[in-house]
């Protein structure tokens, strides 16, 4: 942990969504794998890294460019949505520790927001399944910014919405692009990599933890009971 960081500095927490709050990153991999399988192509770890943390149109554009596909972004987005629906219904799950962390932040009266590269319709769909929307002060989605991660715009916007300075805001991220955005914004970035991103570079993060249940994260946030 950065020794200069004080828990009393925490005035708000921003959660990434995909792979951080929910297991959607692994579901996206399955969708992308199926889209490419239909075209005789493969989803590689290198392609996944190039797509992760970006807004859906940008991520799909990377896929198209990577494999020299003739499809349009719009066509693959439509196809992906048709594949994704049943997978989401059957397999969507919160990441370990999410609910207990939200409860603890509520008890501590620390405001929360979501800052994600996903679109508002999808984010609303996912959060509403677990009745989580009312627990956040606001949602910043792909439509809210002009420049997606790793550009810092989304987290600069979050700090502005909270009416605080970025160093007073903790950002929880699971991907390199997301962490780079938080660090560039001047926020306190906490990396929570999953199996899909454990090899990513998280330079500049104040802390790297194994999950949202990690005691070091709770200590950084000034939370002392689970």
């Amino acid at each position: 942990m950065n020794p200069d960081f004080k828990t009393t500095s925490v005035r708000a927490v921003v959660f990434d969504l995909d792979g951080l709050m929910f297991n959607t990153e692994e579901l996206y991999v399955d969708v992308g794998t199926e889209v490419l399988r239909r075209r005789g192509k493969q989803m590689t770890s290198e392609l996944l890294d190039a797509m992760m943390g970006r807004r859906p149109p940008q991520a799909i554009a990377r896929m198209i460019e990577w494999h020299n596909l003739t499809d349009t972004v719009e066509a693959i987005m439509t196809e992906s949505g048709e594949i994704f629906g049943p997978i989401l219904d059957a397999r969507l799950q919160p990441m370990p520790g999410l609910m207990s962390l939200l409860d603890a932040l509520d008890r501590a009266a620390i405001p929360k927001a979501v800052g994600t590269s996903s679109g508002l319709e999808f984010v609303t769909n996912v959060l509403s399944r677990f009745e989580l929307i009312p627990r956040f002060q606001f949602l910043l989605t792909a439509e809210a910014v002009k420049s997606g991660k790793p550009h810092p715009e989304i987290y600069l916007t979050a700090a502005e919405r909270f009416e605080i300075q970025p160093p007073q805001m903790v950002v929880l991220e699971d991907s390199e692009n997301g962490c780079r955005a938080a660090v560039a914004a001047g926020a306190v970035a906490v990396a929570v990599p999953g199996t899909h991103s454990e090899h990513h570079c998280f330079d500049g993060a104040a802390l790297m933890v194994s999950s949202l249940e990690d005691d070091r994260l709770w200590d950084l946030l000034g939370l002392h009971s689970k």
Side-chain angles (χ1 to χ4, degrees):
M1 184 187 304
N2 183 343
D4 295 329
F5 181 77
K6 306 292 192 299
T7 57
T8 53
S9 302
V10 179
R11 294 186 56 191
V13 179
V14 184
F15 289 73
D16 177 45
L17 185 102
D18 295 304
L20 188 285
M21 293 179 67
F22 295 94
N23 65 332
T24 44
E25 287 291 0
E26 66 183 67
L27 306 186
Y28 287 144
V29 173
D30 290 349
V31 172
T33 298
E34 173 60 18
V35 167
L36 291 174
R37 184 198 65 78
R38 295 177 179 183
R39 292 158 175 79
K41 307 291 185 179
Q42 292 185 333
M43 173 67 77
T44 64
S45 59
E46 292 81 8
L47 173 55
L48 181 60
D49 287 344
M51 297 172 63
M52 192 176 298
R54 300 185 183 276
R55 292 183 287 185
Q58 295 172 329
I60 290 175
R62 285 293 183 97
M63 176 191 288
I64 291 172
E65 180 183 11
W66 195 278
H67 283 295
N68 295 314
L69 303 179
T70 59
D71 306 81
T72 64
V73 170
E74 292 75 16
I76 290 188
M77 286 186 68
T78 298
E79 182 178 348
S80 297
E82 294 169 352
I83 299 169
F84 194 47
I87 292 177
L88 195 69
D89 291 338
R91 295 170 49 197
L92 179 67
Q93 293 181 346
M95 296 299 285
L98 173 65
M99 298 306 181
S100 59
L101 180 57
L102 293 177
D103 290 342
L105 291 169
D106 284 344
R107 290 193 298 269
I110 298 176
K112 305 175 297 299
V114 173
T116 175
S117 298
S118 290
L120 179 60
E121 181 178 358
F122 174 74
V123 174
T124 302
N125 180 4
V126 169
L127 293 178
S128 63
R129 292 170 184 245
F130 298 89
E131 300 181 348
L132 292 182
I133 293 177
R135 302 183 69 173
F136 292 95
Q137 273 57 45
F138 54 86
L139 310 177
L140 290 179
T141 63
E143 297 87 349
V145 295
K146 295 180 180 178
S147 301
K149 303 172 187 178
H151 193 282
E153 181 184 359
I154 192 166
Y155 292 126
L156 291 172
T157 302
E160 184 178 352
R161 291 281 298 275
F162 278 127
E163 298 184 342
I164 60 176
Q165 296 301 310
Q168 298 173 308
M169 183 176 73
V170 171
V171 173
L172 306 178
E173 275 283 359
D174 70 306
S175 72
E176 179 176 340
N177 281 331
C179 187
R180 286 172 58 194
V183 171
V188 179
V190 176
V192 193
T195 55
H196 57 280
S197 59
E198 58 190 2
H199 60 289
H200 285 195
C201 175
F202 293 104
D203 287 349
L207 181 66
M208 183 183 300
V209 297
S210 58
S211 76
L212 298 177
E213 299 174 303
D214 196 301
D215 289 339
R216 294 170 298 160
L217 170 59
W218 285 57
D219 287 344
L220 181 146
L221 293 170
L223 307 173
H224 305 295
S225 61
K226 294 184 181 179

